Amino acid sequence: MDSRHVPPEPAGPVAYGEDVVVSAHGCYELVDHDGAPEILPDAATGNGVVALGSTGALISTGTFHGPLRVRLEIHRRSPRVRADGWHRIVEVSQHTVSGMVSVDSHFADPPPQLPTFVGAPDSWYRIRIHVAGGHAVGHLPFGPGHPVERHLIQIWPTEKAAMPTEE
């Protein structure tokens, strides 16, 4: 294969799952398996959707306390952006020490239906987060009893850090 020919992306993600994630204090995390099991202490203020720390990413939610629906897709390379039906789309790069990254909800068990991203140790991956419905629950003091907000997270390996982008 020469450098001008890139194999096509498979007809979808190589792994995916959808589950309810419990937001605590307006966030949940994507945590490196070599990372901190608690809230990321060094997550810098981000773009309003994601803040990056040394051991993962803190995902902000409109749901301060309560459930939201999360779909996690793992891809081999950058998938096509799905803009329809999403209020906001943000994309960032993150480093992983272990090569394994998964969703963590602070005060609840990890969502069992969401896959773990498995890449190479000491490598980079790209995160694209789609958000919808967060504005509908932001005014509630403790969040809804059922998921109103939803997120689509797409993850794929990348060569090195790329600049954050927003759609």
Side-chain angles (χ1 to χ4, degrees):
M1 169 177 20
D2 67 33
S3 62
R4 295 174 298 188
H5 179 69
V6 175
E9 171 75 5
V14 294
Y16 65 91
E18 190 169 322
D19 210 337
V20 172
V21 172
V22 177
S23 174
H25 303 291
C27 63
Y28 63 95
E29 298 174 328
L30 284 173
V31 179
D32 192 301
H33 282 234
D34 276 354
E38 301 293 329
I39 294 173
L40 299 171
D42 64 346
T45 301
N47 51 30
V49 174
V50 61
L52 301 177
S54 60
T55 58
L58 196 63
I59 312 298
S60 296
T61 64
T63 304
F64 189 68
H65 286 294
L68 61 140
R69 174 116 348 240
V70 175
R71 177 179 171 93
L72 177 64
E73 298 179 350
I74 298 170
H75 294 265
R76 285 192 171 93
R77 64 180 54 89
S78 177
R80 187 172 49 96
V81 174
R82 296 191 210 160
D84 292 345
W86 298 102
H87 169 74
R88 193 153 182 212
I89 301 171
V90 174
E91 192 173 305
V92 295
S93 290
Q94 177 67 15
H95 181 261
T96 173
V97 174
S98 72
M100 296 175 60
V101 178
S102 57
V103 171
D104 183 49
S105 182
H106 307 299
F107 302 114
D109 291 333
Q113 301 302 315
L114 298 181
T116 294
F117 170 77
V118 179
D122 195 27
S123 65
W124 289 88
Y125 61 99
R126 196 82 171 143
I127 309 164
R128 183 181 298 146
I129 304 166
H130 303 67
V131 179
H135 60 285
V137 294
H139 68 284
L140 299 174
F142 297 104
H146 64 283
V148 173
E149 183 175 358
R150 61 190 175 93
H151 290 189
L152 165 62
I153 302 173
Q154 297 172 313
I155 299 176
W156 63 94
T158 191
E159 290 299 315
K160 58 188 251 187
M163 295 304 294
T165 59
E166 184 169 345
E167 296 293 321

